[in-house]
Amino acid sequence: MMKNYTVKELHEKLVAKEITPSAIIKDSIAKLKKYQILNATVTELETFATNLAAQLDNVPILPSDFLAGIPYVAKDNFATKGILTTASSKILSNFVPTYESTVTELLKKQHAILVAKSALDELGMGGHGLYSYTGDVLNPWDLTRITGGSSSGSAALVASGVVPFALGTDTGDSIRKPASYCGIVGFKPSYGLISRFGVIPYAPSLDTVGYFTRSVVDSAIILDYLAKNDHQDATSLTSLEKDYYQNITTDLKGKKFAYFPFAHNQLSAELKTTFNKLFTKLQEHGVEICEATFPEELLKALLPVYMIISYAEAISTHSALDGINFGLRVSGETYEDVMINSRVSGFGRVVKRRYAIGSYALSKDNQTLLFLKAKRVRRLIVDELTKIFANYDILLLPSATTVAPKITGVKAHTLTESDLEFYFDDLLVLANMMGNPSITVPLTLIDGLPIGVNINAKPFADQIVLNASLLIEEITGLKNLVAPGGEENE
């Protein structure tokens, strides 16, 4: 099989005619079959991808055509015209869209080649990759461990070398946590920077389209193509930044990087030492390392606020998944019976539980007590983040406190009062509350397993997030990591 190249490296070989699109796609399909054990795909598109590649074989690839002939996978909540789109839910197991999401349409115009639709936690609900109706998605570094979710399939396929990039969505940490567990780059750009049109929503005020790569430079390249204003998306915004790839640099002298001492102190001794070494290296590059504070009462409220808002929005946005308007239809004597039977059969237990909580929060008696109060607390959280970004250029966070947990341990775990009191591993949700850019890059390997660091900046400061990530990538030397079993890059 071919070595695992980045987007940039594959592009350079295509321009130099050292390789053809068909050869790249043939290799990607072979790796897709090799890694079927990961259970990372819902739909594989061998014939579709092979035909597109053949059409490109005799077309010159220009130096500016970075994505032409490059294989990718899309999380299965991106609508693809004429291609099954299930969001990994039984309720949509027969849904074939008649329209295309803006993001996949943009990639199609650039002649990037979709090779598969990847598995996710059902309808984007879940942080482990264990809640797809097609089964658990396994971590390519260790098949007994989780990939993280909800963008689990996309993360696993990039980490195993099947494709150099993959689309995902991030509502809480759904791209950045799997990136940490899988040793790859996971980027959640600023809210509104990439269109959500054609993406099956979970919680629209939190959902952000992003992607996985194995290098920071690739992330900058892809953002240049996807950061487009879209009149079909009411939340789409135009950034004042442009040419992310051309402007990427590691020169960050004089910039202020902040971290939370309370988060740092709760890390394991090994991970704390790794972060301290990173801080020292950053200082050697002219970066100022600063301590930042955040009100403890708001940190304790972070997970409950996220739960109330996201679950309430989910029950609203999914109201048409009823077996009548959309989705699997199970017969009944009345239309109410059809809806009840279809939903009982079509949704998994995690989704049903979140719908129940969301409905409770939106009920007449609880809207003021729960939903409206959660939105007010969200505003307080955003206000505190605004203060931080007024004083510091970058906020560094641990992407996770540990390497990927064992699947058996996660399945045995039940939420406890202490989890709700301080859900430390959910600090990444802060970026969804505010909508600021946030990226995870590999930090180190612990016992042969990856763990990442998370980099944040103020909304629409995506360029400095990419720059800081590139500097950290150069410091750690962990670029283009491939999970054991994949062919190592030259």
Side-chain angles (χ1 to χ4, degrees), residues 471-490:
L471 176 57
I472 291 174
E473 182 181 77
E474 290 194 2
I475 289 172
T476 64
L478 298 179
K479 173 185 174 182
N480 200 12
L481 279 182
V482 178
E487 303 297 326
E488 293 300 324
N489 201 0
E490 294 176 320

Side-chain angles (χ1 to χ4, degrees), residues 295-353:
E296 184 179 355
E297 61 272 18
L298 290 181
L299 287 171
K300 290 180 178 179
L302 183 59
L303 179 62
V305 166
Y306 169 77
M307 291 169 65
I308 293 298
I309 291 176
S310 64
Y311 298 0
E313 290 186 13
I315 189 63
S316 298
T317 57
H318 296 162
S319 60
L321 300 180
D322 55 10
I324 294 176
N325 291 286
F326 283 98
L328 176 77
R329 179 174 296 186
V330 179
S331 61
E333 293 185 6
T334 66
Y335 81 90
E336 290 97 338
D337 290 338
V338 171
M339 292 174 65
I340 292 171
N341 295 341
S342 298
R343 288 179 165 178
V344 167
S345 176
F347 294 129
R349 64 177 181 83
V350 171
V351 170
K352 289 174 182 174
R353 183 171 66 238

Side-chain angles (χ1 to χ4, degrees), residues 150-341:
S150 63
S151 304
S152 46
S154 288
L157 293 172
V158 172
S160 58
V162 173
V163 288
F165 82 99
L167 297 178
T169 56
D170 191 308
T171 305
D173 56 17
S174 301
I175 288 174
R176 294 159 293 150
K177 187 63 70 62
S180 182
Y181 290 156
C182 292
I184 54 179
V185 178
F187 188 26
K188 183 202 83 68
S190 295
Y191 181 86
L193 192 61
I194 299 178
S195 174
R196 290 186 297 109
F197 175 78
V199 179
I200 296 170
Y202 165 18
S205 76
L206 301 168
D207 293 344
T208 309
V209 171
Y211 45 85
F212 300 94
T213 62
R214 292 196 303 274
S215 80
V216 174
V217 165
D218 281 1
S219 290
I221 289 171
I222 293 166
L223 191 59
D224 279 330
Y225 289 101
L226 299 188
K228 308 291 183 184
N229 185 262
D230 182 13
H231 72 277
Q232 298 177 103
D233 177 3
T235 63
S236 179
L237 298 168
T238 301
S239 174
L240 296 178
E241 297 181 331
K242 61 179 181 179
D243 299 327
Y244 295 98
Y245 170 60
Q246 295 297 328
N247 290 316
I248 199 165
T249 178
T250 57
D251 184 6
L252 293 166
K253 292 179 181 177
K255 299 298 183 183
K256 294 182 177 181
F257 284 37
Y259 72 98
F260 292 144
F262 68 83
H264 188 67
N265 293 335
Q266 294 190 46
L267 298 174
S268 67
E270 183 176 4
L271 199 51
K272 190 184 298 185
T273 298
T274 302
F275 266 92
N276 288 338
K277 289 179 179 178
L278 174 63
F279 295 162
T280 299
K281 289 290 186 181
L282 287 169
Q283 288 172 325
E284 291 173 1
H285 284 80
V287 170
E288 184 178 348
I289 302 297
C290 312
E291 295 184 356
T293 60
F294 202 92
E296 184 179 355
E297 61 272 18
L298 290 181
L299 287 171
K300 290 180 178 179
L302 183 59
L303 179 62
V305 166
Y306 169 77
M307 291 169 65
I308 293 298
I309 291 176
S310 64
Y311 298 0
E313 290 186 13
I315 189 63
S316 298
T317 57
H318 296 162
S319 60
L321 300 180
D322 55 10
I324 294 176
N325 291 286
F326 283 98
L328 176 77
R329 179 174 296 186
V330 179
S331 61
E333 293 185 6
T334 66
Y335 81 90
E336 290 97 338
D337 290 338
V338 171
M339 292 174 65
I340 292 171
N341 295 341

Side-chain angles (χ1 to χ4, degrees), residues 139-156:
N139 191 317
W141 288 83
D142 180 344
L143 300 183
T144 68
R145 297 178 184 272
I146 70 169
T147 57
S150 63
S151 304
S152 46
S154 288

Side-chain angles (χ1 to χ4, degrees), residues 32-53:
L32 197 62
K33 293 178 179 179
K34 175 183 177 181
Y35 286 105
Q36 283 182 339
I37 191 173
L38 300 177
N39 200 35
T41 58
V42 177
T43 304
E44 297 181 5
L45 302 168
E46 180 176 358
T47 302
F48 173 83
T50 300
N51 290 341
L52 286 178

Side-chain angles (χ1 to χ4, degrees), residues 411-481:
K411 287 187 173 181
H413 178 72
T414 55
L415 203 62
T416 65
E417 186 176 341
S418 61
D419 290 322
L420 292 173
E421 181 180 354
F422 188 67
Y423 210 69
F424 176 69
D425 255 3
D426 272 296
L427 283 176
L428 301 192
V429 174
L430 288 169
N432 299 88
M433 294 291 176
M434 188 183 206
N436 60 280
S438 182
I439 189 169
T440 289
V441 299
L443 174 63
T444 189
L445 298 177
I446 297 177
D447 296 328
L449 296 172
I451 192 167
V453 58
N454 183 248
I455 301 105
N456 301 266
K458 66 182 180 181
F460 290 95
D462 295 75
Q463 186 71 64
I464 195 171
V465 164
L466 289 166
N467 294 349
S469 302
L470 183 62
L471 176 57
I472 291 174
E473 182 181 77
E474 290 194 2
I475 289 172
T476 64
L478 298 179
K479 173 185 174 182
N480 200 12
L481 279 182

